[in-house]
Amino acid sequence: MGGEGFDIMNILIGLLIIAIGSFGQSSSYVPVRKIKDWSWECFWLVQGVFAWLVFPFLGALLAVPEGDTLFSLLQSSGTYMPVFYGVLWGVGGLTFGLSMRYLGVALGQSISLGTCSAFGTILPAIFGGMDLLHGSGLLVLTGVCVTLAGIAVIGYAGSLRAQNMTEEEKRAAIKDFALTKGLLVALLAGVMSACFNLGLEAGSTMLEKAKAGGASELFALNPVILLVTTGGFITNACYYIYQNIKNKTDKEYFSVPGNVLTHNILFCALAGVLWYSQFFGLGMGKSYFTESPAMMAFSWSILMSLNVIFSNVWGIVLKEWKGVSKKTIGVLITGIVILIISLIIPGL
């Protein structure tokens, strides 16, 4: 794979950067658990302001070429399609949060991200003209299949856990546990979330303009990320404001004491920057794959696989797997190992 003489160190560095960002994303739901006296629609909207607007905006500023402005860069042709895909991705992001409410961090992220990984990797490759039956394309397709196999094994571990838990235990571990509803929501979340990578591909003109202007290749993707997350924010803000009105929770934002308000905002900001780190890291990591078409095409699946791995680690830390049988733990570990193997296939 890749051109002759391709530096394997570039692959390793890129993987490490993406892994660090992935760990941040998988950790972003932990600060949310510290938020006090706000309904879920309140803290989800506030953390979204940081995750989808504030930090992507700051990240985009790093890609502005000297003597240029972010506004002029965002006016590049193809500006609207990343936003459009972002709106669709917002539906996935919205249901993604719901999938974890119903299934927990481990199983909810596993199913959603597995579906997202497949669609988000294969569709851009097809649209880009890659032949998935030969050469680098076949490696990408093989990697996606192995990724799905690993996620399926982890999903099976989740079903074993559910079978062995009483209703009381399910509620204790995951307050709103609902397997059937959660599975449907997670699948929808995965399909729609794949639109994020389609949005990144749609912003290729802006990416090339930033590079041509002298922007660091490490940060050149950040303005496109800002457009996609802005589209996602539009979708989510409409829904959460609607929920505020419907549930009469709009007064909660400022009805809490000042110290609690500050506490909540800080934890929302922490959750936001951790969540954004996955795409900040993706952009930086991909800059090390430019000599390898397969790694570039598979980078989305790499991010999703790492997200699944780290989310299940957090699931263990948060005791979502507490009390399960050794067989279930063995199946879970097998799934994680398969995902790790999937990361190296395109580098063969």
Side-chain angles (χ1 to χ4, degrees), residues 39-77:
S39 300
W40 68 271
E41 60 265 29
C42 294
F43 63 70
W44 212 255
L45 178 58
V46 175
Q47 74 86 29
V49 171
F50 289 102
W52 306 321
L53 293 180
V54 175
F55 291 111
F57 173 77
L58 296 176
L61 291 177
L62 296 174
V64 178
E66 186 176 352
D68 205 345
T69 66
L70 179 59
F71 180 73
S72 65
L73 186 61
L74 295 177
Q75 286 183 310
S76 305
S77 60

Side-chain angles (χ1 to χ4, degrees), residues 80-90 127 192 195-196 198-200 202 228 231-232:
Y80 301 107
M81 286 306 296
V83 176
F84 171 72
Y85 280 121
V87 170
L88 297 181
W89 162 76
F127 294 161
M192 299 305 288
C195 290
F196 196 105
L198 292 173
L200 296 182
V228 180

